[in-house]
Amino acid sequence: MWHRGETGVRGEEEIASAALTDYLFSYRDPFLPMTIASAPPALTLLSEEEELFRSTVREFAETEVAPHVSEMDEAGRFLPELITKFFELGLMGIEVPEQYGGAAGSIFMVTLAIEELARVDASAAIYVDVHNTLVNNAVGRWSSEEQKARLFPRLTTEMLGAFALSEPASGSDAFALETRANRASDGWSLTGRKFWITNGAEAELFIVFANTDFSKGYKGITAFLVERSFPGFSIGKKENKLGIRASSTVELILEDCRVPDDNVLGPVGQGYKIAIETLNEGRIGIGAQMIGVGTGALEAAARYVKERKQFGKVIAEFQGVQFQLAQMATELEAARLMVYNAARLKDAGRPFAREAAMAKLLSSQVADRTTSKCLELFGGYGYSKEYPAEKFYRDAKIGTIYEGTSNMQLQTIAKMLLK
């Protein structure tokens, strides 16, 4: 709420500022009606269902997740019971059709869930993000009816999923895969290693990309639905990371891992297309993560500057501090609009790949800057684990790296502009 200052002697500049404030808060263009029925709603204007959903996730994040954030970050381990609660709350099947046990929601609702969770803990958001935007998304678009009927009832109630594309030798060149898939009497035999696999320590289903014919290059890549229980599959090293520490990131080892024909996802040789199209939606999820992390950091900083006193007054009264907060809030709102726009476009069935790349690029850069500035506003306390600023700062950094570095997003955007 806007507070005007106490009455009394004020300078001309302050009186003019107050008058301008009164004008801005009361002004409405007389030539425009209050409501224009034909105009599309503002991107941040939520439907009643969306508002209720966001409020539910926010309350869950603040009451169920927040008390464990520091403990999980320090231990580098996410509490299994929280993943169970994700399923119970319906957060692991938001876009899945009702006939398979899902909520038949939208990517926009997925975006809201990820943002609200990341506002409290980025690691919590990542479990929901990867499961929805990568695993459920790929299964929903590319699996057969038999696969949907077999997998979705488990993916929406108990079985966590992971997306296994990256390898030791393939970073930004994601299709330089060395994992091979050979024909076997009972289906396929997969051999290779996968790195940087998010959700890997807890997941029961992995979408694994392997090359069935190296002579065809990336057109030999095929996607396989690999369950943890399959012979020849094992979990390797778990990474000890800078940020998002409670989110598991592991190595997968496939040694003559047997996969039945019924677990090939999409046509043989179309894995590259599945990966590209799935990651397009995944970038919206990363964008949601980053605006959530940035918002959490900004809120923490705003609370702190209203409490911290220097030179006889709280530092929120210093114009230099106010301007920094205003700049951060403005950049975050711009990033939020880009993320929401990409989600709305996807839900409307419109092309969204360029907008998703832009949203991921900008939101990750904004989160990086915002969390850094917020840490500085905490001063020396910002460097201490007793305060939340340093964790937001560490969690934000991954946004410019995974699911396509910032340079790769720039390349994608440029190609689409010049096509």
Side-chain angles (χ1 to χ4, degrees):
M1 181 178 291
W2 184 266
H3 296 282
R4 295 185 182 147
E6 298 178 0
T7 57
V9 179
R10 295 185 292 176
E12 291 183 4
E13 183 178 337
E14 186 176 354
I15 293 172
S17 176
L20 177 60
T21 298
D22 288 340
Y23 172 75
L24 290 174
F25 272 78
S26 62
Y27 176 77
R28 182 175 70 84
D29 191 333
F31 298 103
L32 290 176
M34 289 296 290
T35 304
I36 303 177
S38 60
L43 286 171
T44 53
L45 184 63
L46 308 185
S47 68
E48 185 177 347
E49 180 186 15
E50 290 166 344
E51 189 63 61
L52 177 61
F53 178 75
R54 180 171 68 175
S55 298
T56 301
V57 179
R58 175 171 291 194
E59 181 180 2
F60 172 81
E62 292 178 346
T63 59
E64 300 285 344
V65 179
H68 306 289
V69 170
S70 295
E71 164 198 347
M72 294 189 298
D73 180 70
E74 195 69 27
R77 179 177 178 271
F78 201 76
L79 293 180
E81 53 264 38
L82 287 179
I83 297 176
T84 300
K85 289 180 179 180
F86 292 156
F87 283 105
E88 293 172 349
L89 195 60
L91 296 181
M92 304 307 252
I94 297 173
E95 290 186 273
V96 176
E98 290 181 351
Q99 69 191 91
Y100 301 119
S106 61
I107 181 61
F108 188 78
M109 293 180 77
V110 174
T111 299
L112 293 176
I114 295 167
E115 179 184 1
E116 289 301 327
L117 288 169
R119 177 176 158 268
V120 171
D121 182 34
S123 292
I126 289 168
Y127 282 98
V128 173
D129 183 1
V130 169
H131 190 84
N132 281 278
T133 68
L134 300 185
V135 179
N136 286 347
N137 177 30
V139 172
R141 290 199 62 192
W142 295 94
S143 67
S144 65
E145 286 303 315
E146 183 277 329
Q147 289 171 332
K148 289 185 177 72
R150 172 161 51 94
L151 295 174
F152 271 146
R154 297 168 65 196
L155 285 168
T156 56
T157 58
E158 61 177 2
M159 183 169 67
L160 186 68
F163 192 81
L165 177 62
S166 298
E167 296 186 2
S170 64
S172 293
D173 185 7
F175 296 138
L177 303 185
E178 296 179 352
T179 298
R180 64 181 184 274
N182 297 325
R183 271 290 184 186
S185 58
D186 53 351
W188 297 84
S189 170
L190 275 59
T191 299
R193 294 163 67 207
K194 295 290 181 179
F195 265 30
W196 314 115
I197 308 306
T198 304
N199 291 3
E202 304 90 353
E204 295 292 335
L205 180 73
F206 300 79
I207 299 178
V208 177
F209 294 85
N211 203 316
T212 58
D213 188 346
F214 285 95
S215 68
K216 295 180 180 179
Y218 69 88
K219 291 187 178 180
I221 296 173
T222 301
F224 297 88
L225 299 163
V226 179
E227 296 194 33
R228 181 186 284 262
S229 60
F230 285 0
F233 178 90
S234 62
I235 302 294
K237 175 188 175 185
K238 181 181 177 182
E239 297 296 331
N240 185 13
K241 307 187 299 291
L242 168 75
I244 55 168
R245 289 178 48 78
S247 166
S248 67
T249 305
V250 303
E251 172 191 21
L252 306 184
I253 301 171
L254 302 112
E255 297 177 313
D256 189 22
C257 177
R258 294 308 177 102
V259 181
D261 274 321
D262 289 344
N263 278 44
V264 175
L265 179 63
V268 173
Q270 292 290 302
Y272 71 96
K273 188 174 183 181
I274 294 173
I276 289 172
E277 294 187 6
T278 301
L279 288 170
N280 284 337
E281 181 168 325
R283 290 182 185 120
I284 299 175
I286 300 299
Q289 281 181 43
M290 292 299 106
I291 58 177
V293 170
T295 299
L298 182 58
E299 290 174 348
R303 288 191 298 269
Y304 179 78
V305 299
K306 288 186 287 188
E307 298 170 357
R308 173 66 169 171
K309 288 187 176 181
Q310 291 284 274
F311 305 101
K313 58 183 177 180
V314 294
I315 62 175
E317 295 182 21
F318 292 105
Q319 192 177 68
V321 170
Q322 294 172 359
F323 283 8
Q324 289 184 68
L325 293 171
Q327 183 68 43
M328 289 186 284
T330 300
E331 291 186 1
L332 267 175
E333 186 65 7
R336 179 175 289 105
L337 292 173
M338 293 193 75
V339 173
Y340 283 14
N341 182 56
R344 294 291 196 195
L345 285 173
K346 198 272 181 182
D347 282 334
R350 304 294 297 274
F352 68 95
R354 185 183 71 168
E355 288 75 11
M358 289 177 170
K360 197 267 188 188
L361 172 70
L362 181 67
S363 63
S364 61
Q365 293 173 335
V366 167
D368 198 17
R369 290 195 295 269
T370 299
T371 55
S372 177
K373 284 292 184 184
C374 287
L375 188 151
E376 291 174 12
L377 287 174
F378 274 79
Y381 292 117
Y383 218 66
S384 169
K385 286 184 178 290
E386 292 184 21
Y387 289 79
E390 62 86 30
K391 181 180 182 298
F392 283 121
Y393 178 67
R394 288 186 289 108
D395 286 346
K397 192 61 208 175
I398 191 62
T400 61
I401 300 172
Y402 66 175
E403 290 193 36
T405 64
S406 292
N407 281 338
M408 294 306 296
Q409 303 312 311
L410 289 168
Q411 184 179 61
T412 297
I413 296 164
K415 283 182 177 179
M416 292 182 175
L417 285 172
L418 299 172
K419 184 167 60 176

